[in-house]
Amino acid sequence: SDSVYEVIPFHNAKGIAFDRHIKRLQKSCNSLSISANIDLISKEIIELINKSKFKDGYVYYQVSRGVDQIRSHMFNADISTETFGYVVEHTFESQSLKVMLCEDVRWQRCDIKSTSLLGNIMSMNNAKNSGCDEVIMHKDRVITEGGASNVFFASNDCVYTPNLSKNILPGITRELLIEKIKASGINVQEGSFKIDDLKDAKSIWLTSSTKGLAQVIEITNQETNIVVDHPLFLECEKIFKNNFLS
């Protein structure tokens, strides 16, 4: 899994926060010392969107170090980077999710958007087998993120989300949402939060490039006081959609 990837959503055939996604892809490549022609990659992603003729969707684009002569933990410096991408039609609809809490078993550099996703895959499929749609992960009861998303919750007219660290991917949707709801006067606090904080939360939601804002309606292995369609969640969802999906 010596590779990185990016998921670039688009609406009305235009990339959502395109430059931010490209910047994150460049950062991921730099973190793993993978040489990538970002200008060419940007052009290929735009070409995929344009040729698809889809109104709404996303592009998956992956950059790998390349093919070495033999499998080795120490790669040759002269191998050529390989890339591929594809486009998927996707409708950005509101989602309601059943989730379960699980211990975060992933590697220690989740801030890099790499394809080293075995921890996510194991946890997500365990949740699927239990009738859930997603997971909320934690390290020693401190919330990190979802299996393929960032975590938000609301209580006492304030929105909370775990602050960024090496255990959390800097989600683009997370970043956009925080900027826009802060600008609208909503109080947002980033910090270290425990799974016990979710018990009293009035609303919990997950964010990602394909989910947008997806509210959690149940945590199957913890009691909650969730109010479905809580006014603060609906206001945040409205702000996001008005800015990026209208």
Side-chain angles (χ1 to χ4, degrees), residues 187-200:
N187 187 14
V188 180
Q189 291 190 23
E190 301 176 64
S192 178
F193 306 107
K194 295 192 174 183
I195 55 175
D196 289 343
D197 293 319
L198 299 177
K199 292 180 179 179
D200 296 323

Side-chain angles (χ1 to χ4, degrees), residues 3-239:
S3 56
V4 298
Y5 72 102
E6 193 62 45
V7 176
I8 304 95
F10 59 90
H11 176 60
N12 288 331
K14 293 184 178 180
I16 299 172
F18 184 86
D19 290 342
R20 300 194 199 204
H21 282 280
I22 295 301
K23 183 178 179 180
R24 184 172 65 177
L25 180 59
Q26 177 73 80
K27 184 177 180 181
S28 296
C29 289
N30 292 344
S31 295
L32 296 185
S33 300
I34 294 176
S35 177
N37 186 334
I38 290 296
D39 289 338
L40 177 60
I41 288 171
S42 299
K43 290 177 182 177
E44 290 181 347
I45 292 170
I46 292 171
E47 186 177 5
L48 282 169
I49 294 172
N50 291 339
K51 285 188 174 181
S52 74
K53 305 299 183 183
F54 297 148
K55 177 183 176 183
D56 295 338
Y58 64 87
V59 172
Y60 176 94
Y61 199 95
Q62 184 168 310
V63 183
S64 76
R65 193 176 304 281
V67 180
D68 214 336
Q69 292 183 347
I70 61 171
R71 179 202 171 278
S72 174
H73 287 66
M74 295 183 179
F75 53 85
N76 288 320
D78 58 351
I79 58 178
S80 299
T81 303
E82 294 199 348
T83 65
F84 76 88
Y86 59 83
V87 62
V88 177
E89 189 172 22
H90 178 74
T91 302
F92 298 96
E93 297 178 340
S94 298
Q95 300 181 49
S96 298
L97 307 176
K98 285 177 60 177
V99 308
M100 64 183 294
L101 303 176
C102 67
E103 186 71 27
D104 193 338
V105 297
R106 303 170 301 161
W107 74 313
Q108 301 302 304
R109 289 303 309 273
C110 298
D111 57 314
I112 303 171
K113 198 170 178 67
S114 78
T115 57
S116 299
L117 297 171
L118 283 177
N120 305 63
I121 291 167
M122 292 167 64
S123 296
M124 292 278 275
N125 281 278
N126 183 43
K128 178 183 177 183
N129 292 337
S130 298
C132 294
D133 307 296
E134 246 275 24
V135 297
I136 293 177
M137 297 182 284
H138 62 92
K139 283 187 178 291
D140 299 322
R141 303 186 70 81
V142 175
I143 301 167
T144 53
E145 57 185 351
S149 55
N150 292 115
V151 180
F152 286 79
F153 65 96
S155 183
N156 299 322
D157 296 322
C158 182
V159 173
Y160 303 88
T161 189
N163 50 19
L164 296 179
S165 70
K166 290 183 178 180
N167 293 319
I168 295 176
L169 181 76
I172 303 300
T173 303
R174 173 191 183 277
E175 179 182 319
L176 297 174
L177 179 64
I178 290 173
E179 286 180 7
K180 294 303 181 182
I181 64 176
K182 275 186 173 181
S184 296
I186 294 174
N187 187 14
V188 180
Q189 291 190 23
E190 301 176 64
S192 178
F193 306 107
K194 295 192 174 183
I195 55 175
D196 289 343
D197 293 319
L198 299 177
K199 292 180 179 179
D200 296 323
K202 298 304 180 185
S203 182
I204 304 168
W205 65 89
L206 307 180
T207 63
S208 76
S209 292
T210 55
K211 291 183 179 73
L213 278 63
Q215 66 175 323
V216 174
I217 58 172
E218 181 184 354
I219 299 178
T220 60
N221 54 349
Q222 177 169 285
E223 292 185 3
T224 64
N225 289 292
I226 293 172
V227 177
V228 176
D229 291 335
H230 186 274
L232 190 50
F233 166 75
L234 293 179
E235 180 63 19
C236 291
E237 183 182 46
K238 179 182 177 181
I239 291 168

